[in-house]
Amino acid sequence: MATLRELWEEWLRLDMRPKTRVEIQKLVEHGDTEELERRLRPRISFGTAGLRGRMQAGFARMNHLIVIQTSQGLAEYLLENVSNARDCGVVIGRDGRRDSLLFAEMAAAVFLAKRFKVWYFEKVVHTPMVPFTIDELGAAAGIMITASHNPGWDNGYKVYGQNGCQINTPQDKSIAAHILDNLEPMEGLEPIHNGRSQHDPDLLVDAGIAFIPKYCTRVFDLMFAEPYSLRLPRFVYTAMHGVGLSFLHQSLKRIVVCDARSKHMTQSDVVHEIMYIVESQAMPDPDFPTVKYPNPEEQGALDLAKDMANTEEISLIFANDPDADRFAVAERVEGEWHQFTGDQVGVLLGYYMFTFNLHLKGMMMLTSAVSSQMLARIGEIEGFIVEETLTGFKWLGNRTLELENKVIYAYEEALGYMLPVIVHDKDGVAAAILFLEACSRWQSPWSKLQELYQKYGYFETRNTYWRCDDHEVVDTVFAKIRQDVSDFPADRRLARFRDLTNGTDSGTEDSKPTLPTNPNTQMVTCWLSGNDHDDGIRFTIRASGTEPKVKLYLECQSRSQANARIGASEMLKIINATWFKDERLVLEKKYDIS
């Protein structure tokens, strides 16, 4: 193993950017070995989520040198594994975070230097534009510079394969190996804006000119309504200091032709009458100044939107996260704001897709293993198939392709919704447009949800997380869960236990899970029997792969809403008291567990 001195000397040898060189030089001069250790090792790892980390100098952080090395490795991987990779080219996009422009331009510079065609988005885009463009072009791969809804000090490097899906295992391991074989930066690399005229115009193409209009047209094609047949409801919209506004606005301008007001108003006037924008959060801002975390799920994130909606007497709020691949909804119900969970929106969209695809035989939908079981229950009754995959759209997207044209919709509880006719990844803009159309047909989303509960049963979730930076503490939690898994209240029994880390499942004939296992990822699921008040509980606990969190996904099913809530709330308290006593595990302040 290299010494700390060898690591910082290697960094200073390789890093040609003054800003990050100075960061390491100052730490060396001040003898700050603890911080140097944190910055220089272990090296930031490339996985199925690509890269994501804090923007600072060092091999353990996100910075322009890491982007160069990663791009060099990815390029070599593509040359070895994708036929005609240079001509097929790569698609590169970015969000509005600090250094996203630099990272995108350095990635482009590497691929141009290796004589790849580069379809480069000159302006910020929402994440789904990259896989959409890959599909349209048949490109060899795509790169999106984003850290999604992470804090402002983070950034990331997300990779899509030639099939337009997020890369999965074993692709990630092969790419990671190629990165380690290509750590020496190529000579003469400069951000492409410093010498754009030097690049072959046949190799460097602005992707936005052709493909943003195509995307918006595809979203319009998704609509089920006839022209002038609807009256779209008013809503307040927040882009959460991200890139979503432009794409939602352009898509909305196309679909308002379905609104009856378009007979006597311009499309722009109809959009203005429908969508009210939270201006202080409308444009990309890397500091995210009005929110603690730029995630619509976080408490307080929609406060400004609620204030505007109250002032304008509007009952509906739509929100995207900063890279606009997620979508959130809130509705004022009897004077109080209800923020829909990802599962609730997911079920509503899934049911809407079902009602307009009754003619399809063998129709399928997908959810993740941590999402609600309600859509599957609806499928059992109505005659369509709902299949579960592991968490993440790398699984949902790739499984959709494996099933060819059978899957019409997929979602996971973390505000992610996929419409395969547009893209094989979550898409917050397309989901918002489809949900808006659905709202025009319902009395309200809340009333429609209550209708579904009454027909199919109540599914009450308690999804939350504990923040923890200490991996040993996290490992201890999971060790205790495996040890104590049968110790539940007397009125319940453990019906099934699945451990996707150790590869066991008490609910299958061979005691092996049907879902893929991974010894490097902590994830366990418990099914508990029902009692006199409910029909049972399922909960999953897993360690996040992109954030310092242990996540809980808990659901209680009952014919009574009150009993479903009681069952879910009581089990959350028991789980917290049994396995999360360590003060280094900080519970999200979302539910009352006193």
Side-chain angles (χ1 to χ4, degrees), residues 386-576:
V386 177
E387 182 180 302
E388 286 188 354
T389 73
L390 285 182
T391 308
F393 280 84
K394 63 190 177 188
W395 297 102
L396 292 164
N398 281 289
R399 181 58 177 153
T400 296
L401 289 177
E402 289 172 3
L403 294 166
E404 297 178 335
N405 296 320
K406 295 180 180 179
V407 177
I408 64 168
Y409 170 73
Y411 94 90
E412 69 172 5
E413 57 75 39
L415 307 183
Y417 318 98
M418 182 181 82
L419 298 155
V421 295
I422 298 176
V423 68
H424 291 90
D425 197 15
K426 56 185 178 290
D427 185 343
V429 171
I433 293 294
L434 185 65
F435 199 83
L436 184 66
E437 181 192 20
C439 287
S440 71
R441 299 177 186 273
W442 302 330
Q443 181 181 345
S444 77
W446 176 256
S447 64
K448 187 64 180 180
L449 183 63
Q450 303 316 302
E451 177 188 319
L452 297 182
Y453 282 150
Q454 290 169 18
K455 184 175 182 180
Y456 302 107
Y458 291 89
F459 293 74
E460 189 72 21
T461 59
R462 290 292 182 272
N463 296 345
T464 188
Y465 62 80
W466 293 261
R467 286 190 178 272
C468 184
D469 293 312
D470 192 322
H471 293 292
E472 290 185 4
V473 173
V474 172
D475 288 342
T476 298
V477 166
F478 283 93
K480 288 180 178 178
I481 293 171
R482 294 182 177 99
Q483 177 182 320
D484 305 335
V485 72
S486 298
D487 295 339
F488 288 105
D491 64 343
R492 297 192 189 275
R493 65 177 177 81
L494 180 65
R496 180 182 174 189
F497 179 71
R498 181 178 66 199
D499 188 336
L500 294 181
T501 307
N502 293 336
T504 60
D505 187 341
S506 66
T508 61
E509 288 187 7
D510 60 1
S511 297
K512 295 180 180 179
T514 55
L515 293 175
T517 61
N518 186 342
N520 300 314
T521 302
Q522 296 278 19
M523 183 171 175
V524 297
T525 302
C526 295
W527 285 260
L528 306 179
S529 66
N531 55 26
D532 293 338
H533 308 292
D534 61 59
D535 299 324
I537 289 173
R538 183 179 80 168
F539 67 83
T540 295
I541 302 175
R542 74 177 184 93
S544 172
T546 57
E547 301 171 282
K549 294 178 179 179
V550 179
K551 296 187 174 183
L552 169 70
Y553 311 84
L554 187 158
E555 182 174 58
C556 181
Q557 180 181 353
S558 177
R559 295 305 304 176
S560 158
Q561 185 176 45
N563 288 339
R565 287 177 175 173
I566 290 170
S569 296
E570 288 182 349
M571 187 52 58
L572 173 58
K573 294 176 183 178
I574 292 169
I575 289 170
N576 185 66

Side-chain angles (χ1 to χ4, degrees), residues 129-315:
M129 275 306 309
V130 170
F132 175 83
T133 306
I134 293 171
D135 285 341
E136 291 294 301
L137 290 168
I143 300 160
M144 179 66 188
I145 305 297
T146 182
S148 190
H149 56 275
N150 276 37
W153 52 75
D154 284 351
N155 214 327
Y157 185 108
K158 191 173 188 177
V159 178
Y160 292 86
Q162 192 175 26
N163 63 359
C165 293
Q166 295 179 37
I167 59 165
N168 207 341
T169 299
Q171 289 172 289
D172 62 322
K173 290 180 173 57
S174 182
I175 294 170
H178 281 79
I179 293 168
L180 295 179
D181 288 338
N182 290 273
L183 297 179
E184 193 73 28
M186 302 172 69
E187 292 185 6
L189 288 176
E190 292 287 342
I192 57 174
H193 74 272
N194 286 348
R196 191 176 303 282
S197 61
Q198 299 174 16
H199 295 291
D200 186 338
D202 291 332
L203 291 183
L204 181 59
V205 182
D206 182 0
I209 295 172
F211 294 104
I212 291 175
K214 280 188 178 182
Y215 168 84
C216 295
T217 299
R218 191 71 55 80
V219 172
F220 171 75
D221 292 341
L222 175 69
M223 299 286 287
F224 297 113
E226 296 296 324
Y228 315 126
S229 63
L230 302 176
R231 188 173 182 87
L232 299 170
R234 297 192 304 159
F235 66 97
V236 168
Y237 174 72
T238 172
M240 206 63 63
H241 299 295
V243 301
L245 176 59
S246 172
F247 294 90
L248 185 63
H249 189 270
Q250 291 180 69
S251 298
L252 193 57
K253 281 185 70 175
R254 284 168 169 78
I255 68 104
V256 293
V257 69
C258 298
D259 192 287
R261 284 163 288 192
S262 293
K263 284 184 176 180
H264 53 82
M265 295 171 63
T266 67
Q267 289 173 302
S268 294
D269 286 343
V270 177
V271 170
H272 183 73
E273 186 167 310
I274 293 170
M275 181 167 66
Y276 290 67
I277 300 164
V278 181
E279 295 295 345
S280 61
Q281 297 176 331
M283 303 308 294
D285 187 330
D287 294 322
F288 306 110
T290 67
V291 291
K292 185 176 181 181
Y293 296 104
N295 181 350
E297 290 183 293
E298 295 283 349
Q299 280 195 324
L302 298 185
D303 284 355
L304 292 179
K306 291 175 183 177
D307 289 343
M308 184 178 193
N310 288 333
T311 299
E312 299 292 342
E313 298 184 343
I314 295 173
S315 297

Side-chain angles (χ1 to χ4, degrees), residues 311-330:
T311 299
E312 299 292 342
E313 298 184 343
I314 295 173
S315 297
L316 203 56
I317 292 171
F318 286 4
N320 289 129
D321 66 339
D323 68 326
D325 61 352
R326 288 175 169 84
F327 168 60
V329 183

